[in-house]
């Protein structure tokens, strides 16, 4: 894998690739321009041709050609690899000889299917614009406020009320019946049975053994993030059922991973640092037509974790603008849960006040000298711990809700009062405020039972807020809402926090960081911080048992004395890639360190493309709680895709 990456880097110039989307100007030996990842007036984005790297000193992003394409186009690493390999003229199949034939066949089948979809799109679009049969479709589109320019921009089309109009056209273009069926544009006839319209012996009695999948519908082409047609959505005209019909799953199309209009919204999402998620095709189209181009629609109205995985590469602010009916409210609740689950989590250090150690840790064993702070003559005794902190996890995103007027879909709201829509997009309801509304909607908060239930539902939500000022503000809001004394709510909140703290991590910092390495850039800098993190495992109720405390002291403090805080590698080691390899091997052999390392280092700290991608996978698996205690499934997943170079050298 490393040889492939290096071969591609040698053939694809980073400056040439970046210049496709950024206007670069000569500045000494470097090139500079406006950063494509954040708004700025003065250029702080630099490309270094000599090292084939780039960096923005405004948003602190940087890397090589792989990281730029991956971030700018919102692609997965494999997609980036395929894109750059094609540009460089490097055949990946040759590097994967054991699967070369299967890879070539799959690649050819996907390319053929893309061409099939493009030909189908042209036919649908032509039918909408030119066909007499499309008069009703054109009238419907006009009634929804969609302009002629928007029809062309989104490539809208029409599937006539014909049994096999599209099929006959595509067959005449040289495609086979099998290709149309596999591509989701046609279905095979069941011989001997009549269709529900009674056309088997009439109009539909043709020589073809297939019939069109979409009939008498407005057609919405569905594209991938690179703008290639991968499927279609059809809205029935008249009383056709179902009202909305999407392409079946194919080699290219999987409904729960695709967001409609993401290809057109991608750049706007990055610029606005916000994505607005609506429910329907027309909602997204009208939002774009009226200027809210950071809008996408979830196909089938269900937001999935795979959707969030795509969006989090572009923004950390998700605004849900789903329909205000019962189904929309349920979809909003589901979307919130998926967003909370799909976004990364940051580990925030929360300092505990003096004396907190005695409250955080059980007092047993102090007389026997088992307490770290009382070990006479030990490393811990000679160098007193500087303090105790608690590492709290919080979602690294801002999730909020755009409240729509009752009875109005987003497209209706936009067309009726565009200014109000823009204000709502700029001032969405924070998630906690949204929960204040929905979790008390069915309660009579004038009655004691309603007050108790409101506090029971909302205090856990308030307890999730790490900002203490915000937390206090919401406590006051709840106290006013249910007319209860704040002190009573604070007492109940502390009980809630103690329960939540059972899942947090407590860590002791026992040695100062080596600022020489951190400041000079030798090694990681950040892993120096990780090396002095002596964090015990968590027992029941968030407290370590006596055995766990002894193990933590041995691992976190005594080992630091034996090996130095940097572990096996020399602190002065300047080979950054060697440090990265070592860290990957460390995580694979010691998965228990994962929560502490991930709280300090992110994949943007890696210089190596392969180690950065490996670390990203390790982090993703950790987030999804998909690995076993010994990481065996993880290793089996990594080795086929990325080879053994990094892992083998890291463990050496």
């Amino acid at each position: 894998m490393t040889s492939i990456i290096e071969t591609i880097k040698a053939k694809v110039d980073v400056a040439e690739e970046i210049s496709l989307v950024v206007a670069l100007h000569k500045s000494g030996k470097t090139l500079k321009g406006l950063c494509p990842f954040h708004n700025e007036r003065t250029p702080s984005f630099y490309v270094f041709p000599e090292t084939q790297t780039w960096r923005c000193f405004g948003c602190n992003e940087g890397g090589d050609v792989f990281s730029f394409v991956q971030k700018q186009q919102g692609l997965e690493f494999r997609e980036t690899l395929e894109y750059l390999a094609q540009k460089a003229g490097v055949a990946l199949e040759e590097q994967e000889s054991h699967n070369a034939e299967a890879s070539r066949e799959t690649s050819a089948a996907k390319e053929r299917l893309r061409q099939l979809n493009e030909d189908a799109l042209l036919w649908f679009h032509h039918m909408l614009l030119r066909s007499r049969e499309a008069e009703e479709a054109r009238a419907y589109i006009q009634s929804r406020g969609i302009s002629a320019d928007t029809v062309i921009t989104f490539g809208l089309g029409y599937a006539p009320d014909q049994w096999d109009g599209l099929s006959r056209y595509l067959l005449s273009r040289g495609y086979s019946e099998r290709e149309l069926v596999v591509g989701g544009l046609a279905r095979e006839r069941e011989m001997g049975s009549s269709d529900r319209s009674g056309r088997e012996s009439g109009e539909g009695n043709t020589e073809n053994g297939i019939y069109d999948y979409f009939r008498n519908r407005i057609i919405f082409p569905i594209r991938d993030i690179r703008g290639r047609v991968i499927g279609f959505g059809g809205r029935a005209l008249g009383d056709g059922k179902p009202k909305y019909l999407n392409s079946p799953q194919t080699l290219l199309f999987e409904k729960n991973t695709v967001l409609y209009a993401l290809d057109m919204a991608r750049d706007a999402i990055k610029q606005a640092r916000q994505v607005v998620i609506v429910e329907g095709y027309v909602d997204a189209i009208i939002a774009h037509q009226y200027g809210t181009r950071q809008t996408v629609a979830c196909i089938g109205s269900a937001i999935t974790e795979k959707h969030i995985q795509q969006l989090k590469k572009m923004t950390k602010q998700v605004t849900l603008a789903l329909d205000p009916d019962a189904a929309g409210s349920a979809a909003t609740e589901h979307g919130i849960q998926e967003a909370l689950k799909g976004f990364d989590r940051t580990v925030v250090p929360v300092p505990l006040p003096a004396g907190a150690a005695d409250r955080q840790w059980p007092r047993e064993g102090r007389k026997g000298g088992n307490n770290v702070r009382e070990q006479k003559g030990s490393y811990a005794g000679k160098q007193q711990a500087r303090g105790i902190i608690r590492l709290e996890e919080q979602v690294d995103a801002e999730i909020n809700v755009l409240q729509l007027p009752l009875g109005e879909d987003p497209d209706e709201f936009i067309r009726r009062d565009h200014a109000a829509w823009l204000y709502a997009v700029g001032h969405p309801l924070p998630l906690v405020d949204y929960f204040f509304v929905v979790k008390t909607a069915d309660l009579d908060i004038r009655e004691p039972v309603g007050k108790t239930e409101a506090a029971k539902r909302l205090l856990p939500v308030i307890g999730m807020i790490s900002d203490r000022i915000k937390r206090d503000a919401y406590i006051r809001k709840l106290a006013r809402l249910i007319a209860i004394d704040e002190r009573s709510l604070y007492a109940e909140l502390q009980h809630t926090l103690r329960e939540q703290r059972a899942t947090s991590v407590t860590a002791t910092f026992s040695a100062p960081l080596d600022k020489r390495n951190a400041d000079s850039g030798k090694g990681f800098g950040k892993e120096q911080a990780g090396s002095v993190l002596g964090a015990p495992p968590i027992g029941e109720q968030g407290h370590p048992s006596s055995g766990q405390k002894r193990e933590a002291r041995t691992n976190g403090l005594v080992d630091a004395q034996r090996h130095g805080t940097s572990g096996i590698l020399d602190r002065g080691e300047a080979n950054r890639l060697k440090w990265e390899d070592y860290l990957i091997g460390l995580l694979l052999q010691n998965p228990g360190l994962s929560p502490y390392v991930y709280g300090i280092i992110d994949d943007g700290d890696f210089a190596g493309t392969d180690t950065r991608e490996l670390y990203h996978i390790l982090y993703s698996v950790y987030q999804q709680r998909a690995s076993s205690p010994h990481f065996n499934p993880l290793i089996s997943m990594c080795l086929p895709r990325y080879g053994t170079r990094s892992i083998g050298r890291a463990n050496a």
Side-chain angles (χ1 to χ4, degrees), residues 245-469:
L245 180 67
N246 297 306
S247 292
Q249 183 166 323
T250 68
L251 277 174
L252 300 178
F253 180 72
E254 186 178 346
K255 184 173 68 173
N256 66 351
T257 67
V258 180
L259 287 162
Y260 181 71
L262 182 59
D263 60 307
M264 305 182 72
R266 182 183 63 194
D267 292 339
I269 290 171
K270 294 175 182 177
Q271 292 297 322
R273 299 185 180 181
Q274 176 197 37
V275 60
V276 178
I277 302 180
V278 295
E279 191 169 328
Y281 298 115
V282 176
D283 294 330
I285 289 171
I286 291 295
H288 277 254
Q289 181 176 305
Y290 280 78
T292 313
R293 294 188 175 88
Q294 69 268 36
T295 305
V296 299
C298 43
I299 297 172
S301 77
I303 300 171
T304 69
E305 189 174 356
K306 292 181 179 179
H307 292 148
I308 301 300
Q309 293 296 329
Q310 296 179 68
L311 293 173
K312 73 180 186 180
K313 300 172 186 176
M314 307 173 197
T315 182
K316 293 182 179 180
Q317 182 178 167
V318 174
T319 298
L320 302 175
L322 307 182
D323 296 349
D325 54 17
S329 297
T332 299
E333 291 273 0
H334 177 77
I336 290 169
Q337 295 303 320
E338 291 298 322
L340 290 172
K341 182 169 59 176
F343 269 101
D344 295 337
R345 294 180 178 272
T346 57
V347 180
V348 181
V350 179
L352 300 180
D358 293 334
R359 297 193 298 272
Q360 286 286 322
W361 300 84
R363 302 178 66 89
E364 65 267 22
R366 291 176 64 104
K367 293 181 180 179
N370 289 332
N371 184 279
V372 177
R373 298 190 180 193
E374 295 186 7
Q375 287 183 355
K376 304 299 183 180
S378 69
Y379 176 83
K382 293 177 180 177
Q383 187 163 341
Q384 291 291 324
R386 286 162 33 193
I388 300 292
I389 67 166
R390 184 175 67 252
L391 299 180
E392 290 186 353
E393 269 193 348
Q394 66 182 37
V395 177
D396 190 22
E398 180 183 343
I399 303 164
N400 43 48
V401 180
L402 192 155
Q403 281 199 307
L404 299 168
L406 291 176
E408 280 191 331
D409 291 346
D411 74 292
E412 297 170 328
F413 182 32
I414 294 170
R415 288 185 288 123
R416 180 181 62 80
D417 194 339
H418 183 222
W421 162 262
L422 290 178
Y423 182 85
V425 169
H427 303 81
L429 197 63
L431 189 56
V432 179
D433 293 276
Y434 172 77
F435 280 128
F436 263 77
V437 175
V438 299
K439 289 186 176 293
T440 60
D442 61 339
L443 300 176
D444 183 356
I445 56 177
R446 294 170 298 181
E447 298 295 328
V449 174
K451 296 176 187 290
T452 301
E453 184 62 24
K456 181 179 178 181
R457 296 178 183 181
L458 290 173
L459 282 174
V461 175
I462 296 173
M464 293 169 59
I465 304 172
S466 59
D467 187 312
R468 295 184 180 182
I469 295 176

Side-chain angles (χ1 to χ4, degrees), residues 79-277:
E79 295 171 318
T80 305
L81 183 64
E82 291 173 352
Y83 168 80
L84 290 175
Q86 184 179 14
K87 177 165 284 195
V90 176
L92 295 179
E93 292 83 0
E94 295 176 3
Q95 308 288 341
E96 302 169 355
S97 56
H98 62 290
N99 267 338
E101 187 63 30
S103 297
R104 280 193 292 269
E105 289 180 2
T106 301
S107 179
K110 287 183 177 181
E111 190 57 38
R112 179 73 170 172
L113 182 51
R114 289 190 186 100
Q115 187 58 54
L116 173 66
N117 285 335
E118 290 291 346
D119 286 341
L121 167 62
L122 291 175
W123 189 82
F124 285 136
H125 191 55
H126 175 80
M127 294 301 294
L128 176 65
L129 298 181
R130 305 297 182 191
S131 173
R132 290 183 179 179
E133 299 174 66
E135 288 183 3
E136 183 184 355
R138 290 191 289 267
Y140 173 81
I141 288 174
Q142 188 175 12
S143 72
R144 297 298 298 267
I146 302 174
S147 69
D149 288 342
T150 301
V151 168
I152 295 172
T153 300
F154 282 85
L156 303 188
Y158 171 64
D161 194 13
Q162 299 175 6
W163 196 242
D164 58 358
L166 175 64
S167 297
R168 284 186 280 110
Y169 169 75
L170 293 174
L171 290 172
S172 72
R173 298 280 296 175
Y175 297 100
S176 68
E177 291 185 352
R178 181 62 183 164
E179 285 179 312
L180 269 60
V181 172
V182 171
L185 293 169
R187 286 178 171 173
E188 295 178 331
R189 297 179 186 276
E190 295 182 11
M191 301 305 294
S193 63
S194 61
D195 66 279
R196 60 187 176 187
S197 301
R199 299 183 185 177
E200 187 67 17
S201 59
E203 179 186 348
N205 190 14
T206 70
E207 60 183 7
N208 302 327
I210 57 176
Y211 62 93
D212 292 350
Y213 185 75
F214 296 102
R215 301 189 303 280
N216 196 30
R217 291 178 179 271
I218 304 287
I219 297 298
F220 301 89
I222 301 170
R223 297 176 170 87
D224 64 14
I225 197 167
R226 292 169 63 182
R228 301 172 298 185
V229 181
I230 57 175
F232 300 92
R235 201 270 186 199
L237 293 172
D239 298 326
K241 300 292 183 181
K243 184 177 179 181
Y244 283 95
L245 180 67
N246 297 306
S247 292
Q249 183 166 323
T250 68
L251 277 174
L252 300 178
F253 180 72
E254 186 178 346
K255 184 173 68 173
N256 66 351
T257 67
V258 180
L259 287 162
Y260 181 71
L262 182 59
D263 60 307
M264 305 182 72
R266 182 183 63 194
D267 292 339
I269 290 171
K270 294 175 182 177
Q271 292 297 322
R273 299 185 180 181
Q274 176 197 37
V275 60
V276 178
I277 302 180

